């Protein structure tokens, strides 16, 4: 079980942070001051009584309510660690069938309650918390019993899962059949297949296996207005595709209870070779050429010089890292090397051919191959990286991420402006920020840009929250100004809602509100997420 106020398992120790990484942070932004976190007992003692009665099927246990009060955004962490939660859900309910969900929707209508779908609780954009400005009772609908493989059509390559099935359980169910979904976001170990659909998730190897919108074939949505069954047609010209309304709806239109996904044979071979390029502009050109070559790759990941240096610092000073540094000096790689990881998955000959062609492209841009060791290390640790949030917090540092996607012609300016904005975003309060980024998903016409930033925790949690808000707002404005999407893979939640109109337009937002009103006439589903509500607009809250 995940700890109540962090990412790692309850009772587990955070991973050790390499001494080189600590020295880097101390040099870049100063030494951190470990905070004094509230204990679970203190938070329980401060919790108000539930507005709902303890009736059959509803849990009003204080610890249960606290564990389902927030997700994994940095504001969520600040609230949990400080014990300043504000509102918490009044009850938790755990349906096991679509019929149970229909009963819960009726219960919510009868009680005048708001309902909050809760899968793995891994939202990093404020997507699974009670609306602080909504005075109705709130019920979290936890999907942890809506699990398992319900059906498998191996001939068609279609698998039906309960929407609450966790990532590892999806692959464990498909593995004996020689199949895979291949959708592996960084939160894979703790997130659910229904959550991936609801947030339009992208897996780390979506280049080869497809983003979730390519994998989602159909399913069942239980909305307050009724049930919506989405058949898994391979293709259809019968009007607009209603599946696209469910994708990215973030619980505003109803609760997804079943998902039908497209699965395929598990790759026989997977290789993750790596290269280093001497300067960022040529590295971006290489990534673009690889994307346009349309090779059978599952991932292209290119780190900026600052992220490359940070990655090496996190790796420590072992023999392998020392040998790599010596090799780069011997090959006279530029002073600001950029690490490129590429994954190829499939039959052995196809993988070999793809890797060879990537190597040819990289060499044309002055890159140097450094073997498979960095890629193997990335494979071993890719789902453990979020554990560093717990470790850095205990050293007195906050870490957060944001992401976008933009066309290739705008990417260089956006990357430079975003990094500069984050690094200098707290200058006026005398604080520094360590910020770095990488291209995590490439496309023929553009790329995602995934940024990580670290800053010191303040003694006052409200000041830490203010520092985050300054950085988040400034970075989001930069993204919009350069024509990027406000989210490539994390979703909208509350944290990105202010900037959605710039991307969808007021008419587009109006269409989404109309759909929401049709499916949820009492506005009970996840209020405050994705869309502003009518009373928000009257009060001017965006």
């Amino acid at each position: 079980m995940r700890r109540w106020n962090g990412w790692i398992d309850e009772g587990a120790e955070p991973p050790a942070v390499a001494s080189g990484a600590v020295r880097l942070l101390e040099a870049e932004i100063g030494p951190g001051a470990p905070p004094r976190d509230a204990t679970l007992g203190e938070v329980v003692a401060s919790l108000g009584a539930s507005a709902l009665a303890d009736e059959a099927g509803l849990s009003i246990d204080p610890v249960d309510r606290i564990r389902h009060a927030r997700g994994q955004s940095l504001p969520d962490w600040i609230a949990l660690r400080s014990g300043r939660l504000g509102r918490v859900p009044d009850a938790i309910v755990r349906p096991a069938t679509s019929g149970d969900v229909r009963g819960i929707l009726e219960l919510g209508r009868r009680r005048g309650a708001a309902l909050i779908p809760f899968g793995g609780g891994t939202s990093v954009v404020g997507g699974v918390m009670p609306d602080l400005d909504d005075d109705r009772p709130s019920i979290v609908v936890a999907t942890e019993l809506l699990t398992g493989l319900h059906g498998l059509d191996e001939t068609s390559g279609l698998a039906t899962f309960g929407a609450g099935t966790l990532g590892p359980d999806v692959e464990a169910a498909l593995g004996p059949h020689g199949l895979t979904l291949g959708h592996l976001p960084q939160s894979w170990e703790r997130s659910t297949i229904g959550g991936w659909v609801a947030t339009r998730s992208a897996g780390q190897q979506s280049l080869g296996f497809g983003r979730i919108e390519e994998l989602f074939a159909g399913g069942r949505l239980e909305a307050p207005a009724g049930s919506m069954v989405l058949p898994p047609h391979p293709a259809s010209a019968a009007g607009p595709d209603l599946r696209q309304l469910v994708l990215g709806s973030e619980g505003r239109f109803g609760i997804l209870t079943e998902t039908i996904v497209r699965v395929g044979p598990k790759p026989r071979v997977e290789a993750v070779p790596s290269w280093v390029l001497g300067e960022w502009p040529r590295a971006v050109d290489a990534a673009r050429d690889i994307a346009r070559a349309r090779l059978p790759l599952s991932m292209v990941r290119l780190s900026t010089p600052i992220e490359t240096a940070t990655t090496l610092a996190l790796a420590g000073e072992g023999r392998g890292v020392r040998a790599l540094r010596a090799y780069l000096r011997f090959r006279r790689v530029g002073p600001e090397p950029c690490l490129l990881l590429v994954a190829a998955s499939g039959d052995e000959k196809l993988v070999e051919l793809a890797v060879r062609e990537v190597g040819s492209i990289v060499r044309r841009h002055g890159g140097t191959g450094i073997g498979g060791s960095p890629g193997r290390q990335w494979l071993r640790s890719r789902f453990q990286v979020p554990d560093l949030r717990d470790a850095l917090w205990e050293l007195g540092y906050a870490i957060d991420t944001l992401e976008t996607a933009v066309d290739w012609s705008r990417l260089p300016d956006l990357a430079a402006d975003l990094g500069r904005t984050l690094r200098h975003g707290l200058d006026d309060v005398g604080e520094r920020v360590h910020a770095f980024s990488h291209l995590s998903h490439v496309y023929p016409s553009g790329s995602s840009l995934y940024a990580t930033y670290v800053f010191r925790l303040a003694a006052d949690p409200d000041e830490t929250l203010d520092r985050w808000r300054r950085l988040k707002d400034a970075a989001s404005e930069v993204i919009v100004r350069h024509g990027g999407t406000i989210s490539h893979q994390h979703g909208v939640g509350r944290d990105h809602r202010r900037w959605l109109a710039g991307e969808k337009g007021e008419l587009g937002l109006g269409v989404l509100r109309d759909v929401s009103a049709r499916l949820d006439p009492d506005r009970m589903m996840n209020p405050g997420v994705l869309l502003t509500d009518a009373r928000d607009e009257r009060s001017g809250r965006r």
Side-chain angles (χ1 to χ4, degrees):
M1 178 185 291
R2 188 178 65 217
R3 64 181 292 176
W4 69 277
N5 63 350
W7 182 262
I8 61 175
D9 286 339
E10 196 73 72
E13 289 295 322
V17 181
S19 58
V22 175
R23 289 195 299 272
L24 173 68
L25 288 176
E26 290 178 343
E28 289 287 326
I29 61 179
R36 192 274 180 190
D37 293 337
T39 67
L40 180 57
E42 289 170 339
V43 179
V44 168
S46 67
L47 192 65
S50 170
L52 296 171
D54 187 6
E55 62 180 70
L58 288 184
S59 167
I60 61 171
D61 175 74
V63 174
D64 207 11
R65 293 168 61 201
I66 291 168
R67 284 188 176 277
H68 291 85
R70 295 280 184 152
Q72 288 290 313
S73 71
L74 188 54
D76 290 337
W77 269 50
I78 294 168
L80 288 164
R81 295 279 184 152
S82 67
R84 302 177 184 180
L85 287 175
R87 292 201 63 197
V88 300
D90 292 284
I92 317 300
V93 64
R94 295 173 169 86
T97 66
S98 294
D100 291 346
V101 172
R102 290 239 56 85
I104 292 165
L105 292 169
E106 173 57 26
L107 172 66
R109 186 197 63 77
R110 193 171 67 249
R111 291 293 190 91
L115 301 182
I116 304 168
F118 193 103
T122 59
S123 170
V124 293
V125 291
V128 292
M129 59 178 283
D131 192 353
L132 300 180
D133 296 299
D134 192 318
D135 56 7
R136 293 176 294 179
S138 60
I139 301 173
V140 162
V141 184
T143 63
E144 61 200 60
L145 300 182
L146 291 166
T147 59
L149 179 63
H150 296 175
L152 178 61
D153 179 350
E154 294 190 59
T155 302
S156 304
L158 295 172
T160 303
F161 284 96
T165 308
L166 293 169
D169 295 331
V170 169
E171 293 299 331
L174 295 173
H177 303 276
L179 299 171
T180 183
L181 179 63
H183 192 76
L184 303 169
Q186 194 172 67
S187 63
W188 176 73
E189 294 179 325
R190 300 195 185 280
S191 55
T192 65
I193 193 169
W196 302 340
V197 173
T199 58
R200 296 187 76 98
S201 168
Q204 293 172 333
Q205 292 176 261
S206 290
L207 179 61
F209 294 100
R211 289 172 58 94
I212 199 64
E213 57 261 39
E214 300 169 78
L215 300 172
F216 178 56
R220 185 182 185 94
L221 181 80
E222 297 295 347
S227 302
M228 183 182 291
V229 177
L230 306 167
H233 298 307
S236 173
D241 189 346
L242 294 179
R243 291 173 296 192
Q244 294 298 321
L245 285 176
V246 176
L247 285 155
S249 58
E250 301 191 24
R252 284 307 302 257
F253 299 162
I255 298 172
L256 194 65
T257 59
E258 279 194 337
T259 59
I260 305 173
V261 288
R262 301 180 177 99
V263 298
K266 197 166 187 176
R268 296 175 61 185
V269 176
E270 184 167 70
V272 189
S274 52
W275 291 264
V276 170
L277 295 101
E279 57 182 10
W280 177 244
R282 295 191 72 180
V284 172
D285 288 344
R288 185 187 66 239
D289 287 352
I290 293 169
R292 287 182 173 175
R294 299 183 184 273
L295 299 169
L297 303 173
S298 56
M299 183 188 75
V300 175
R301 178 187 174 108
L302 175 66
S303 295
T304 61
I306 297 177
E307 177 165 294
T308 300
T310 303
T311 299
L312 291 175
L314 284 169
E317 294 297 330
R319 180 183 302 174
V321 174
R322 293 197 303 271
L324 175 58
R325 293 184 189 277
Y327 179 70
L328 295 179
R329 287 194 298 270
F330 172 74
R331 293 300 302 264
R332 296 183 179 179
V333 174
E336 295 188 329
C338 303
L339 177 64
L340 172 68
L341 298 179
V342 170
S345 310
D347 291 335
E348 185 173 359
K349 289 185 178 179
L350 199 60
V351 167
E352 183 180 340
L353 179 65
V355 170
R356 187 184 306 127
E357 183 58 28
V358 169
S360 177
I361 294 172
V362 173
R363 285 191 295 274
R364 287 202 299 270
H365 291 278
T368 299
I370 56 173
S373 180
R376 288 191 295 272
Q377 175 59 32
W378 177 82
L379 282 173
R380 285 193 297 268
S381 63
R382 58 175 164 169
F383 302 126
Q384 300 166 10
V385 171
D387 296 358
L388 287 171
R389 298 179 73 192
D390 292 271
L392 289 173
W393 184 279
E394 295 194 1
L395 293 175
Y397 298 104
I399 181 170
D400 197 23
T401 61
L402 52 85
E403 36 73 39
T404 182
V406 73
D407 54 60
W408 287 112
S409 62
R410 302 184 190 192
L411 176 66
D413 288 344
L414 170 57
D417 198 0
L418 184 61
R420 185 167 50 246
T421 297
L422 286 170
R423 282 189 284 276
H424 295 285
L426 299 179
D427 284 356
D428 60 343
V429 294
E431 290 292 324
R432 291 171 287 167
V433 181
H434 183 57
F436 49 91
S437 60
H438 64 267
L439 312 186
S440 62
H441 299 76
V442 298
Y443 306 90
S445 63
S447 174
S448 69
L449 179 66
Y450 192 100
T452 301
Y453 54 103
V454 186
F455 59 96
R456 295 196 299 181
L457 296 170
D460 181 358
D462 289 340
E463 173 60 25
T464 299
L465 182 61
D466 182 67
R467 291 176 185 179
W468 171 82
R469 188 173 289 114
R470 287 167 177 258
L471 294 169
K472 183 72 171 182
D473 288 359
S476 298
E477 292 294 340
V478 167
I479 287 170
V480 171
R481 186 165 65 247
H482 284 275
T485 176
I486 198 59
S487 179
H488 169 265
Q489 65 207 68
H490 287 164
V492 176
R494 287 174 174 78
D495 296 348
H496 294 151
R497 190 182 63 179
R498 283 171 48 197
W499 293 275
L500 193 60
E503 186 165 333
K504 303 297 184 188
E506 288 300 335
L507 180 59
L509 284 183
V511 171
L512 294 178
R513 291 192 190 99
D514 289 346
V515 173
S516 177
R518 178 66 182 86
L519 295 175
D520 178 23
D522 294 321
R523 200 182 58 83
M524 63 194 294
M525 296 305 307
N526 218 9
V529 166
L530 183 65
L531 302 169
T532 53
D533 296 305
R535 65 176 174 181
D536 294 333
E537 293 171 346
R538 288 195 297 270
S539 66
R541 187 165 71 97
R542 304 296 292 178

